Amino acid sequence: MSKEELKAYLEVNFPTCKFEDTIDFPVVIVEQGQLLSLLKSLREAPSTDFDLLFCQTAVDYKTRFEVIYHLSSTTFRHDLVVKVLLDDREHPELESIFSIWKAAELFENEIFDLFGIRFLNHPNLRRIILGDEWQGYPLRKDYTDANILIP
Amino acid sequence: MGVTEDNLNTFPGEVYRDDAGQANFFVTSIDKLANWARSNSLWPLTFGTSCCAIEMMSAASAKYDWSRFGFEVARATPRQADLIIVAGTICTKMAPVLKRLYNQMANPKYVIAMGSCTISGGPFYYYSYSVVKGVDTIIPVDVYIPGCPPRPEALLEGMMALQAKIKKSRAYVIDSPKTKQEE
Ligand code: SF4
C-alpha cells in the first residue's frame, strides 16, 4: 500500500487514531488502550501484513513520554510509524507487545533500562546495558549524576 | 662470523677483544640484557573497544607493520601479553573487565593509553553518564598517545617511546612483598 492508501485504510478501520503529516514514514498516534488491538490487527490482517518491527524507541518530552514503533512489511514493502503518548511521568507503564513481535523483548528491555518505562507482561524486564546496581534512567531529560559535568 | 661492532647494532654492550685483536665475546650488564630483550619483544594484548582499535589494527597490518619494531605477536590472552594498548572508549561497565585483564597479566607489564578517550574521556568528558574519565583512574599508564584517533604513525611513535622507557629502567628490582590485589 502507498502512504495515502495506508492512511485511508487506517481512517476506515481505526477512526479514533490521529495522523501526523510527515515527509517520510506515515505516522499514526494511538490511545494507550487501543495500542494492542491496533498493532495486532496491523500484524495479522493480510492486506497490511506488518511482519517486521524494525525499531522501537522512546522520547522524553519533559512533560510526557512517547513510545514509538517502526513497522515494516517484508511482502508489501510499506512502512508505518505508530506513536503512543504516556502522560504519567512518575510511573510510566505500557502493555508489552512481545506477544505480537518477539523482537520487542530486547527493545523493551533497553527502553526500560534508559527511560524507566515499565512494560506489563514482558517476559523478562531487566537492565540490559547498564549494570543492575545503576540508579536512575540516563536518557530522561532530568537525569544527572556526578559524571555529567555540564548537564 | 664473529662479533663485531657492526653486527652488535643496537645491543647495549661492548665487544671484548683479546690481545690478538680477536673478538670472541662481549660484556654488558644483566639489566641491559634483560631490557634489550624485553623492549624488543613486546607482545600486545588484542584489546580494542572502539574506533581507536581500527587504527591499532591498521598499525598491525601490512602497510604500517609494527612487527618491524618487535610487536608482532598480538596475544588474545592476558597471561601471555606484556603490553596492553587501551584502544578505545572505556565505559563504567567495561572498567572492571579491563582491571581484571591487567591484574591477570604477568610482570613486567606495560600500558599504553591510546586516544583521547583513554587519556581523559575525550569527546565524552562533559556530557556522558557512562564513560570513564581517563583509563589512568583504573590502571597505571606508561605512555599516552593523544589524538582522536591517533594515526598509526603516532601509535608506532608511542610504542617506540615505551621501548626507550624500558631500556632506561631497572630490570631487576627486589619486589615489595606481594599482596593480593582487589579486583
Ligand atoms: S579517542 Fe576518538 S577515535 Fe579513539 S576511541 Fe575515543 S572517540 Fe574513538
Side-chain angles (χ1 to χ4, degrees), chain A residues 1-19:
Chain A
M1 273 192 247
S2 71
K3 200 169 158 179
E4 287 73 32
E5 285 168 340
L6 207 54
K7 192 173 167 188
Y9 172 87
L10 287 166
E11 269 168 354
V12 172
N13 289 281
F14 298 94
T16 55
C17 292
K18 292 202 249 349
F19 295 90

Side-chain angles (χ1 to χ4, degrees), chain A residues 114 128-130 134 138 143 147-150, chain B residues 92-93 124-131 133:
Chain A
L114 300 173
I128 183 174
I129 296 174
L130 306 170
W134 196 280
Y143 177 89
N147 269 336
I148 301 176
L149 301 185
I150 299 177
Chain B
T92 40
K93 202 171 179 183
F124 310 105
Y125 182 74
Y126 290 113
Y127 304 101
S128 174
Y129 57 91
S130 60
V131 175
K133 295 193 194 315

Side-chain angles (χ1 to χ4, degrees), chain A residues 15-115:
Chain A
T16 55
C17 292
K18 292 202 249 349
F19 295 90
E20 237 175 55
D21 280 331
T22 49
I23 48 167
D24 43 8
F25 301 126
V27 174
V28 44
I29 302 174
V30 64
E31 294 293 318
Q32 260 194 61
Q34 267 204 317
L35 177 72
L36 267 196
S37 58
L38 171 75
L39 291 179
K40 206 171 178 63
S41 139
L42 286 174
R43 162 103 210 223
E44 282 164 8
S47 56
T48 47
D49 191 25
F50 283 106
D51 51 0
L52 178 67
L53 171 76
F54 69 88
C55 178
Q56 181 184 355
T57 183
V59 180
D60 183 1
Y61 284 104
K62 291 195 176 167
T63 52
R64 59 185 156 84
F65 288 112
E66 205 171 273
V67 180
I68 299 158
Y69 304 84
H70 283 75
L71 313 179
S72 182
S73 162
T74 52
T75 25
F76 298 121
R77 297 275 163 212
H78 52 211
D79 310 298
L80 179 67
V81 172
V82 179
K83 290 186 179 177
V84 53
L85 310 182
L86 298 177
D87 288 324
D88 184 359
R89 219 171 169 289
E90 292 304 307
H91 304 283
E93 275 185 346
L94 189 63
E95 201 60 37
S96 167
I97 56 159
F98 175 71
S99 54
I100 309 175
W101 290 278
K102 295 249 181 314
E105 176 178 0
L106 293 179
F107 287 139
E108 288 177 352
N109 266 335
E110 189 174 341
I111 295 172
F112 168 69
D113 199 357
L114 300 173
F115 286 94

